[in-house]
Amino acid sequence: MKLIAVRRDDRFSPNSVEKDRLILEAACNNVCRHFEQQDEPCALRWVDEAELTTNDEADLYLSMARLPEALSILEGFEQQGRRVINSPRGVRNCQRSVLEKLMRENNLSTPTAYQEGQEEQSPCWLKRGDAAAQSKDDVVFCNDAEALKKAISDFEARGISDYVISRHVQGDVVKFYGVSLEATPSFFRHFYPTDDGQTKFGDETARNGEAHHYTFDVSALQSEVERLARLVGIEVYGGDAIIDREGRFYIIDFNDWPSFSRCRDEAAEAIGNCPLK
């Protein structure tokens, strides 16, 4: 069995380059162990997503790629019947503006969109819509309409015209991680960033403060997240939710293949059981 691990470009791993490498490495080791236990040798090769070519043929690709060129190549392999995790189509659907539209059309729990002139909708968040956040400047908290106007101007000065605006929700920030592979039990974990101090940019936790650990229905959140993963079309995913004082949850971020830094070994084991078809 030929396995190719496609490394994510560093620009897509802000403050998480090493963490992303470790989860991909651990997942690959578990996949190889899984096949070797079935007396099927596993040949593993690593490729940077910027270096991936149509000549890089394998039976299975564990891919953290996000570059359009890499996704197109992987899509070609997928069309040939080769297994790619995550699917290029699903990764494209994680583009924030696409994701936002998909969530609203399917009535998923997400903060309401900000409408200019509706003061009760302030404060809000301005988020880059054409890609996942690559720096702290791609996700901006705005206290009011004037701050939002300036933030949009700053985005446009950087060449970003595709963006999403959503209402700020006060509550506990929760990080969630999931793996949903056909024919294997689903994997889902959640954590509070303020409990362990791990945060990528820190803005959401800074604005919401220390977690109060409001009671909420974890199974309902898992069900909602897994439904979103199916709609998006990815199998290895993570994101963020806000839990308000009434126990209502709102999904504020969702992305392909996170670092799973809080549960790396468990997640790698779940990914390692992936079927080839």
Side-chain angles (χ1 to χ4, degrees):
M1 201 276 294
K2 292 181 180 179
L3 168 64
I4 286 182
V6 185
R7 278 184 291 245
R8 180 173 290 158
D9 194 274
D10 287 358
R11 81 188 81 171
F12 301 123
S13 294
N15 304 324
S16 300
V17 172
E18 179 64 9
K19 292 177 182 177
D20 282 354
R21 183 191 67 78
L22 287 172
I23 180 58
L24 186 57
E25 182 179 79
C28 287
N29 289 341
N30 276 285
V31 167
C32 285
R33 186 177 302 113
H34 173 77
F35 280 95
E36 286 166 356
Q37 286 173 348
Q38 301 177 51
D39 295 324
E40 184 173 348
C42 179
L44 168 63
R45 191 160 63 86
W46 288 75
V47 179
D48 291 335
E49 66 170 305
E51 304 300 323
L52 187 70
T53 74
T54 55
N55 293 322
D56 292 312
E57 296 187 348
D59 302 299
L60 172 64
Y61 299 82
L62 293 190
S63 170
M64 300 183 86
R66 288 179 177 168
L67 287 172
E69 299 82 1
L71 294 178
S72 293
I73 291 170
L74 289 167
E75 190 169 47
F77 289 138
E78 199 172 48
Q79 289 169 354
Q80 295 171 12
R82 303 173 193 273
R83 186 82 157 91
V84 182
I85 302 173
N86 280 309
S87 168
R89 180 186 69 84
V91 175
R92 290 194 189 98
N93 283 339
C94 286
Q95 179 180 318
R96 195 182 296 273
S97 57
V98 175
L99 185 65
E100 188 84 359
K101 184 173 183 289
L102 189 105
M103 291 182 70
R104 298 199 186 286
E105 288 177 346
N106 289 276
N107 299 311
L108 286 151
S109 302
T110 189
T112 56
Y114 178 93
Q115 300 296 324
E116 189 174 356
Q118 295 183 5
E119 294 304 319
E120 71 273 12
Q121 295 280 351
S122 297
C124 65
W125 291 88
L126 175 69
K127 302 180 181 182
R128 148 175 223 158
D130 61 340
Q134 299 172 35
S135 73
K136 190 174 182 179
D137 294 335
D138 290 341
V139 180
V140 182
F141 177 77
C142 304
N143 272 309
D144 51 36
E146 193 60 33
L148 174 61
K149 183 178 179 181
K150 182 184 183 305
I152 290 174
S153 177
D154 291 343
F155 265 35
E156 291 175 343
R158 293 168 57 204
I160 301 172
S161 57
D162 184 356
Y163 47 79
V164 167
I165 307 166
S166 58
R167 177 175 62 92
H168 173 68
V169 178
Q170 193 67 33
D172 292 342
V173 178
V174 167
K175 299 284 296 184
F176 59 79
Y177 304 92
V179 179
S180 298
L181 295 164
E182 187 178 350
T184 64
S186 61
F187 168 90
F188 185 82
R189 298 289 184 275
H190 76 283
F191 302 88
Y192 295 86
T194 57
D195 284 359
D196 60 19
Q198 290 188 48
T199 176
K200 185 176 289 187
F201 299 127
D203 276 5
E204 284 284 1
T205 50
R207 298 292 173 184
N208 287 277
E210 293 292 321
H212 295 82
H213 299 91
Y214 297 129
T215 301
F216 74 102
D217 189 339
V218 177
S219 62
L221 174 62
Q222 178 178 352
S223 178
E224 190 90 332
V225 167
E226 289 177 352
R227 183 161 77 95
L228 177 57
R230 290 191 297 272
L231 288 166
V232 170
I234 60 174
E235 299 166 292
V236 181
Y237 49 85
D240 301 82
I242 300 290
I243 315 299
D244 72 12
R245 63 173 62 249
E246 282 77 35
R248 294 173 298 220
F249 58 80
Y250 303 86
I251 299 171
I252 60 169
D253 194 19
F254 185 81
N255 49 71
D256 57 289
W257 207 314
S259 64
F260 292 95
S261 56
R262 296 173 174 87
C263 51
R264 182 182 302 125
D265 291 343
E266 290 179 278
E269 184 175 347
I271 298 167
N273 291 322
C274 64
L276 271 181
K277 299 296 183 182

PDB file of all heavy atoms in Angstrom, residues 13-40:
ATOM      1  N   SER A  13      -0.576  27.516   8.610  1.00  0.00           N
ATOM      2  CA  SER A  13      -0.417  26.976   9.964  1.00  0.00           C
ATOM      3  C   SER A  13       0.122  28.049  10.908  1.00  0.00           C
ATOM      4  O   SER A  13       1.166  27.863  11.535  1.00  0.00           O
ATOM      5  CB  SER A  13       0.545  25.783   9.957  1.00  0.00           C
ATOM      6  OG  SER A  13       0.027  24.694   9.243  1.00  0.00           O
ATOM      7  N   PRO A  14      -0.574  29.190  11.034  1.00  0.00           N
ATOM      8  CA  PRO A  14      -0.070  30.246  11.914  1.00  0.00           C
ATOM      9  C   PRO A  14       0.068  29.759  13.354  1.00  0.00           C
ATOM     10  O   PRO A  14      -0.880  29.247  13.936  1.00  0.00           O
ATOM     11  CB  PRO A  14      -1.129  31.354  11.789  1.00  0.00           C
ATOM     12  CG  PRO A  14      -2.355  30.659  11.322  1.00  0.00           C
ATOM     13  CD  PRO A  14      -1.884  29.531  10.448  1.00  0.00           C
ATOM     14  N   ASN A  15       1.283  29.874  13.881  1.00  0.00           N
ATOM     15  CA  ASN A  15       1.594  29.445  15.248  1.00  0.00           C
ATOM     16  C   ASN A  15       1.378  27.949  15.481  1.00  0.00           C
ATOM     17  O   ASN A  15       1.306  27.507  16.628  1.00  0.00           O
ATOM     18  CB  ASN A  15       0.750  30.226  16.272  1.00  0.00           C
ATOM     19  CG  ASN A  15       0.909  31.721  16.150  1.00  0.00           C
ATOM     20  OD1 ASN A  15       1.989  32.209  15.848  1.00  0.00           O
ATOM     21  ND2 ASN A  15      -0.171  32.463  16.376  1.00  0.00           N
ATOM     22  N   SER A  16       1.275  27.167  14.401  1.00  0.00           N
ATOM     23  CA  SER A  16       0.965  25.742  14.567  1.00  0.00           C
ATOM     24  C   SER A  16       1.715  24.831  13.597  1.00  0.00           C
ATOM     25  O   SER A  16       1.289  23.701  13.350  1.00  0.00           O
ATOM     26  CB  SER A  16      -0.556  25.513  14.380  1.00  0.00           C
ATOM     27  OG  SER A  16      -1.310  26.233  15.312  1.00  0.00           O
ATOM     28  N   VAL A  17       2.817  25.299  13.048  1.00  0.00           N
ATOM     29  CA  VAL A  17       3.546  24.501  12.049  1.00  0.00           C
ATOM     30  C   VAL A  17       3.970  23.150  12.624  1.00  0.00           C
ATOM     31  O   VAL A  17       3.733  22.099  12.025  1.00  0.00           O
ATOM     32  CB  VAL A  17       4.776  25.272  11.521  1.00  0.00           C
ATOM     33  CG1 VAL A  17       5.634  24.363  10.638  1.00  0.00           C
ATOM     34  CG2 VAL A  17       4.338  26.505  10.744  1.00  0.00           C
ATOM     35  N   GLU A  18       4.574  23.176  13.791  1.00  0.00           N
ATOM     36  CA  GLU A  18       5.057  21.930  14.391  1.00  0.00           C
ATOM     37  C   GLU A  18       3.898  21.046  14.833  1.00  0.00           C
ATOM     38  O   GLU A  18       3.931  19.822  14.659  1.00  0.00           O
ATOM     39  CB  GLU A  18       5.964  22.246  15.582  1.00  0.00           C
ATOM     40  CG  GLU A  18       6.528  21.022  16.312  1.00  0.00           C
ATOM     41  CD  GLU A  18       7.465  20.170  15.458  1.00  0.00           C
ATOM     42  OE1 GLU A  18       7.827  20.583  14.348  1.00  0.00           O
ATOM     43  OE2 GLU A  18       7.830  19.068  15.923  1.00  0.00           O
ATOM     44  N   LYS A  19       2.849  21.644  15.382  1.00  0.00           N
ATOM     45  CA  LYS A  19       1.681  20.870  15.820  1.00  0.00           C
ATOM     46  C   LYS A  19       1.016  20.171  14.638  1.00  0.00           C
ATOM     47  O   LYS A  19       0.592  19.016  14.738  1.00  0.00           O
ATOM     48  CB  LYS A  19       0.675  21.788  16.520  1.00  0.00           C
ATOM     49  CG  LYS A  19       1.157  22.324  17.857  1.00  0.00           C
ATOM     50  CD  LYS A  19       0.124  23.288  18.435  1.00  0.00           C
ATOM     51  CE  LYS A  19       0.592  23.886  19.745  1.00  0.00           C
ATOM     52  NZ  LYS A  19      -0.371  24.882  20.272  1.00  0.00           N
ATOM     53  N   ASP A  20       0.910  20.866  13.496  1.00  0.00           N
ATOM     54  CA  ASP A  20       0.311  20.253  12.309  1.00  0.00           C
ATOM     55  C   ASP A  20       1.169  19.106  11.800  1.00  0.00           C
ATOM     56  O   ASP A  20       0.656  18.072  11.366  1.00  0.00           O
ATOM     57  CB  ASP A  20       0.119  21.305  11.211  1.00  0.00           C
ATOM     58  CG  ASP A  20      -1.097  22.194  11.471  1.00  0.00           C
ATOM     59  OD1 ASP A  20      -1.846  21.924  12.421  1.00  0.00           O
ATOM     60  OD2 ASP A  20      -1.288  23.157  10.711  1.00  0.00           O
ATOM     61  N   ARG A  21       2.490  19.282  11.862  1.00  0.00           N
ATOM     62  CA  ARG A  21       3.378  18.208  11.417  1.00  0.00           C
ATOM     63  C   ARG A  21       3.210  16.979  12.297  1.00  0.00           C
ATOM     64  O   ARG A  21       3.164  15.839  11.802  1.00  0.00           O
ATOM     65  CB  ARG A  21       4.844  18.675  11.460  1.00  0.00           C
ATOM     66  CG  ARG A  21       5.833  17.622  10.946  1.00  0.00           C
ATOM     67  CD  ARG A  21       7.265  17.996  11.242  1.00  0.00           C
ATOM     68  NE  ARG A  21       7.564  17.994  12.657  1.00  0.00           N
ATOM     69  CZ  ARG A  21       7.797  16.886  13.371  1.00  0.00           C
ATOM     70  NH1 ARG A  21       7.753  15.690  12.796  1.00  0.00           N
ATOM     71  NH2 ARG A  21       8.066  16.964  14.656  1.00  0.00           N
ATOM     72  N   LEU A  22       3.090  17.196  13.589  1.00  0.00           N
ATOM     73  CA  LEU A  22       3.002  16.071  14.530  1.00  0.00           C
ATOM     74  C   LEU A  22       1.727  15.249  14.349  1.00  0.00           C
ATOM     75  O   LEU A  22       1.770  14.018  14.425  1.00  0.00           O
ATOM     76  CB  LEU A  22       3.089  16.593  15.971  1.00  0.00           C
ATOM     77  CG  LEU A  22       4.478  17.073  16.417  1.00  0.00           C
ATOM     78  CD1 LEU A  22       4.393  17.748  17.780  1.00  0.00           C
ATOM     79  CD2 LEU A  22       5.472  15.917  16.446  1.00  0.00           C
ATOM     80  N   ILE A  23       0.582  15.902  14.117  1.00  0.00           N
ATOM     81  CA  ILE A  23      -0.646  15.119  13.943  1.00  0.00           C
ATOM     82  C   ILE A  23      -0.604  14.345  12.637  1.00  0.00           C
ATOM     83  O   ILE A  23      -1.039  13.191  12.574  1.00  0.00           O
ATOM     84  CB  ILE A  23      -1.926  15.995  14.027  1.00  0.00           C
ATOM     85  CG1 ILE A  23      -3.174  15.125  13.839  1.00  0.00           C
ATOM     86  CG2 ILE A  23      -1.917  17.105  13.007  1.00  0.00           C
ATOM     87  CD1 ILE A  23      -3.346  14.005  14.812  1.00  0.00           C
ATOM     88  N   LEU A  24      -0.056  14.950  11.580  1.00  0.00           N
ATOM     89  CA  LEU A  24       0.019  14.236  10.303  1.00  0.00           C
ATOM     90  C   LEU A  24       0.961  13.045  10.421  1.00  0.00           C
ATOM     91  O   LEU A  24       0.670  11.953   9.917  1.00  0.00           O
ATOM     92  CB  LEU A  24       0.479  15.185   9.199  1.00  0.00           C
ATOM     93  CG  LEU A  24       0.463  14.630   7.776  1.00  0.00           C
ATOM     94  CD1 LEU A  24      -0.922  14.142   7.380  1.00  0.00           C
ATOM     95  CD2 LEU A  24       0.953  15.692   6.774  1.00  0.00           C
ATOM     96  N   GLU A  25       2.063  13.239  11.111  1.00  0.00           N
ATOM     97  CA  GLU A  25       3.025  12.151  11.315  1.00  0.00           C
ATOM     98  C   GLU A  25       2.408  11.016  12.122  1.00  0.00           C
ATOM     99  O   GLU A  25       2.532   9.838  11.765  1.00  0.00           O
ATOM    100  CB  GLU A  25       4.258  12.703  12.036  1.00  0.00           C
ATOM    101  CG  GLU A  25       5.357  11.699  12.263  1.00  0.00           C
ATOM    102  CD  GLU A  25       6.551  12.339  12.963  1.00  0.00           C
ATOM    103  OE1 GLU A  25       6.484  12.514  14.212  1.00  0.00           O
ATOM    104  OE2 GLU A  25       7.522  12.688  12.274  1.00  0.00           O
ATOM    105  N   ALA A  26       1.712  11.368  13.196  1.00  0.00           N
ATOM    106  CA  ALA A  26       1.090  10.352  14.047  1.00  0.00           C
ATOM    107  C   ALA A  26      -0.001   9.597  13.289  1.00  0.00           C
ATOM    108  O   ALA A  26      -0.133   8.372  13.416  1.00  0.00           O
ATOM    109  CB  ALA A  26       0.501  11.006  15.301  1.00  0.00           C
ATOM    110  N   ALA A  27      -0.792  10.321  12.479  1.00  0.00           N
ATOM    111  CA  ALA A  27      -1.853   9.665  11.702  1.00  0.00           C
ATOM    112  C   ALA A  27      -1.259   8.697  10.688  1.00  0.00           C
ATOM    113  O   ALA A  27      -1.754   7.572  10.526  1.00  0.00           O
ATOM    114  CB  ALA A  27      -2.698  10.725  10.995  1.00  0.00           C
ATOM    115  N   CYS A  28      -0.200   9.115  10.012  1.00  0.00           N
ATOM    116  CA  CYS A  28       0.455   8.247   9.025  1.00  0.00           C
ATOM    117  C   CYS A  28       1.017   6.987   9.686  1.00  0.00           C
ATOM    118  O   CYS A  28       0.887   5.882   9.151  1.00  0.00           O
ATOM    119  CB  CYS A  28       1.578   9.000   8.327  1.00  0.00           C
ATOM    120  SG  CYS A  28       1.014  10.249   7.153  1.00  0.00           S
ATOM    121  N   ASN A  29       1.634   7.152  10.846  1.00  0.00           N
ATOM    122  CA  ASN A  29       2.183   5.996  11.562  1.00  0.00           C
ATOM    123  C   ASN A  29       1.085   4.998  11.906  1.00  0.00           C
ATOM    124  O   ASN A  29       1.271   3.786  11.804  1.00  0.00           O
ATOM    125  CB  ASN A  29       2.897   6.454  12.834  1.00  0.00           C
ATOM    126  CG  ASN A  29       4.201   7.179  12.556  1.00  0.00           C
ATOM    127  OD1 ASN A  29       4.765   7.041  11.461  1.00  0.00           O
ATOM    128  ND2 ASN A  29       4.676   7.962  13.502  1.00  0.00           N
ATOM    129  N   ASN A  30      -0.077   5.501  12.300  1.00  0.00           N
ATOM    130  CA  ASN A  30      -1.190   4.615  12.640  1.00  0.00           C
ATOM    131  C   ASN A  30      -1.782   3.939  11.415  1.00  0.00           C
ATOM    132  O   ASN A  30      -2.177   2.774  11.467  1.00  0.00           O
ATOM    133  CB  ASN A  30      -2.272   5.401  13.391  1.00  0.00           C
ATOM    134  CG  ASN A  30      -1.976   5.506  14.876  1.00  0.00           C
ATOM    135  OD1 ASN A  30      -2.138   4.552  15.625  1.00  0.00           O
ATOM    136  ND2 ASN A  30      -1.517   6.673  15.290  1.00  0.00           N
ATOM    137  N   VAL A  31      -1.857   4.658  10.288  1.00  0.00           N
ATOM    138  CA  VAL A  31      -2.339   4.047   9.048  1.00  0.00           C
ATOM    139  C   VAL A  31      -1.413   2.903   8.650  1.00  0.00           C
ATOM    140  O   VAL A  31      -1.865   1.794   8.328  1.00  0.00           O
ATOM    141  CB  VAL A  31      -2.426   5.093   7.914  1.00  0.00           C
ATOM    142  CG1 VAL A  31      -2.622   4.399   6.568  1.00  0.00           C
ATOM    143  CG2 VAL A  31      -3.580   6.056   8.163  1.00  0.00           C
ATOM    144  N   CYS A  32      -0.111   3.162   8.679  1.00  0.00           N
ATOM    145  CA  CYS A  32       0.853   2.122   8.300  1.00  0.00           C
ATOM    146  C   CYS A  32       0.769   0.925   9.238  1.00  0.00           C
ATOM    147  O   CYS A  32       0.801  -0.231   8.795  1.00  0.00           O
ATOM    148  CB  CYS A  32       2.270   2.702   8.296  1.00  0.00           C
ATOM    149  SG  CYS A  32       2.616   3.773   6.877  1.00  0.00           S
ATOM    150  N   ARG A  33       0.638   1.189  10.507  1.00  0.00           N
ATOM    151  CA  ARG A  33       0.515   0.099  11.478  1.00  0.00           C
ATOM    152  C   ARG A  33      -0.746  -0.722  11.202  1.00  0.00           C
ATOM    153  O   ARG A  33      -0.725  -1.959  11.268  1.00  0.00           O
ATOM    154  CB  ARG A  33       0.472   0.674  12.895  1.00  0.00           C
ATOM    155  CG  ARG A  33       0.492  -0.379  13.990  1.00  0.00           C
ATOM    156  CD  ARG A  33       0.518   0.252  15.378  1.00  0.00           C
ATOM    157  NE  ARG A  33       1.669   1.128  15.558  1.00  0.00           N
ATOM    158  CZ  ARG A  33       1.584   2.447  15.706  1.00  0.00           C
ATOM    159  NH1 ARG A  33       0.420   3.046  15.693  1.00  0.00           N
ATOM    160  NH2 ARG A  33       2.677   3.155  15.862  1.00  0.00           N
ATOM    161  N   HIS A  34      -1.829  -0.040  10.868  1.00  0.00           N
ATOM    162  CA  HIS A  34      -3.094  -0.704  10.575  1.00  0.00           C
ATOM    163  C   HIS A  34      -2.952  -1.678   9.411  1.00  0.00           C
ATOM    164  O   HIS A  34      -3.401  -2.829   9.477  1.00  0.00           O
ATOM    165  CB  HIS A  34      -4.154   0.351  10.271  1.00  0.00           C
ATOM    166  CG  HIS A  34      -5.458  -0.193   9.800  1.00  0.00           C
ATOM    167  ND1 HIS A  34      -6.387  -0.775  10.645  1.00  0.00           N
ATOM    168  CD2 HIS A  34      -6.008  -0.263   8.553  1.00  0.00           C
ATOM    169  CE1 HIS A  34      -7.433  -1.163   9.955  1.00  0.00           C
ATOM    170  NE2 HIS A  34      -7.244  -0.870   8.689  1.00  0.00           N
ATOM    171  N   PHE A  35      -2.302  -1.237   8.326  1.00  0.00           N
ATOM    172  CA  PHE A  35      -2.162  -2.089   7.151  1.00  0.00           C
ATOM    173  C   PHE A  35      -1.126  -3.191   7.372  1.00  0.00           C
ATOM    174  O   PHE A  35      -1.298  -4.326   6.911  1.00  0.00           O
ATOM    175  CB  PHE A  35      -1.798  -1.253   5.925  1.00  0.00           C
ATOM    176  CG  PHE A  35      -2.993  -0.578   5.313  1.00  0.00           C
ATOM    177  CD1 PHE A  35      -3.316   0.720   5.636  1.00  0.00           C
ATOM    178  CD2 PHE A  35      -3.814  -1.260   4.425  1.00  0.00           C
ATOM    179  CE1 PHE A  35      -4.436   1.339   5.096  1.00  0.00           C
ATOM    180  CE2 PHE A  35      -4.930  -0.666   3.877  1.00  0.00           C
ATOM    181  CZ  PHE A  35      -5.250   0.650   4.213  1.00  0.00           C
ATOM    182  N   GLU A  36      -0.062  -2.874   8.106  1.00  0.00           N
ATOM    183  CA  GLU A  36       0.971  -3.885   8.364  1.00  0.00           C
ATOM    184  C   GLU A  36       0.426  -5.008   9.242  1.00  0.00           C
ATOM    185  O   GLU A  36       0.854  -6.162   9.123  1.00  0.00           O
ATOM    186  CB  GLU A  36       2.186  -3.213   8.997  1.00  0.00           C
ATOM    187  CG  GLU A  36       2.981  -2.392   7.971  1.00  0.00           C
ATOM    188  CD  GLU A  36       3.987  -1.451   8.600  1.00  0.00           C
ATOM    189  OE1 GLU A  36       4.020  -1.371   9.855  1.00  0.00           O
ATOM    190  OE2 GLU A  36       4.726  -0.795   7.846  1.00  0.00           O
ATOM    191  N   GLN A  37      -0.519  -4.686  10.121  1.00  0.00           N
ATOM    192  CA  GLN A  37      -1.151  -5.721  10.938  1.00  0.00           C
ATOM    193  C   GLN A  37      -1.974  -6.680  10.084  1.00  0.00           C
ATOM    194  O   GLN A  37      -2.274  -7.799  10.506  1.00  0.00           O
ATOM    195  CB  GLN A  37      -2.038  -5.065  12.005  1.00  0.00           C
ATOM    196  CG  GLN A  37      -1.255  -4.433  13.142  1.00  0.00           C
ATOM    197  CD  GLN A  37      -2.141  -3.647  14.099  1.00  0.00           C
ATOM    198  OE1 GLN A  37      -3.321  -3.389  13.806  1.00  0.00           O
ATOM    199  NE2 GLN A  37      -1.591  -3.254  15.233  1.00  0.00           N
ATOM    200  N   GLN A  38      -2.324  -6.232   8.884  1.00  0.00           N
ATOM    201  CA  GLN A  38      -3.041  -7.084   7.941  1.00  0.00           C
ATOM    202  C   GLN A  38      -2.087  -7.694   6.912  1.00  0.00           C
ATOM    203  O   GLN A  38      -2.502  -8.145   5.851  1.00  0.00           O
ATOM    204  CB  GLN A  38      -4.122  -6.258   7.222  1.00  0.00           C
ATOM    205  CG  GLN A  38      -5.140  -5.647   8.174  1.00  0.00           C
ATOM    206  CD  GLN A  38      -6.165  -4.778   7.451  1.00  0.00           C
ATOM    207  OE1 GLN A  38      -6.770  -5.203   6.472  1.00  0.00           O
ATOM    208  NE2 GLN A  38      -6.350  -3.565   7.933  1.00  0.00           N
ATOM    209  N   ASP A  39      -0.796  -7.681   7.271  1.00  0.00           N
ATOM    210  CA  ASP A  39       0.260  -8.240   6.420  1.00  0.00           C
ATOM    211  C   ASP A  39       0.333  -7.557   5.061  1.00  0.00           C
ATOM    212  O   ASP A  39       0.655  -8.190   4.040  1.00  0.00           O
ATOM    213  CB  ASP A  39       0.060  -9.760   6.227  1.00  0.00           C
ATOM    214  CG  ASP A  39       0.219 -10.521   7.533  1.00  0.00           C
ATOM    215  OD1 ASP A  39       1.078 -10.123   8.339  1.00  0.00           O
ATOM    216  OD2 ASP A  39      -0.529 -11.495   7.751  1.00  0.00           O
ATOM    217  N   GLU A  40       0.035  -6.259   5.048  1.00  0.00           N
ATOM    218  CA  GLU A  40       0.165  -5.478   3.815  1.00  0.00           C
ATOM    219  C   GLU A  40       1.193  -4.378   4.049  1.00  0.00           C
ATOM    220  O   GLU A  40       0.948  -3.439   4.817  1.00  0.00           O
ATOM    221  CB  GLU A  40      -1.179  -4.860   3.411  1.00  0.00           C
ATOM    222  CG  GLU A  40      -1.095  -4.132   2.079  1.00  0.00           C
ATOM    223  CD  GLU A  40      -2.451  -3.662   1.595  1.00  0.00           C
ATOM    224  OE1 GLU A  40      -3.469  -4.084   2.169  1.00  0.00           O
ATOM    225  OE2 GLU A  40      -2.484  -2.869   0.648  1.00  0.00           O
TER     226      GLU A  40
END
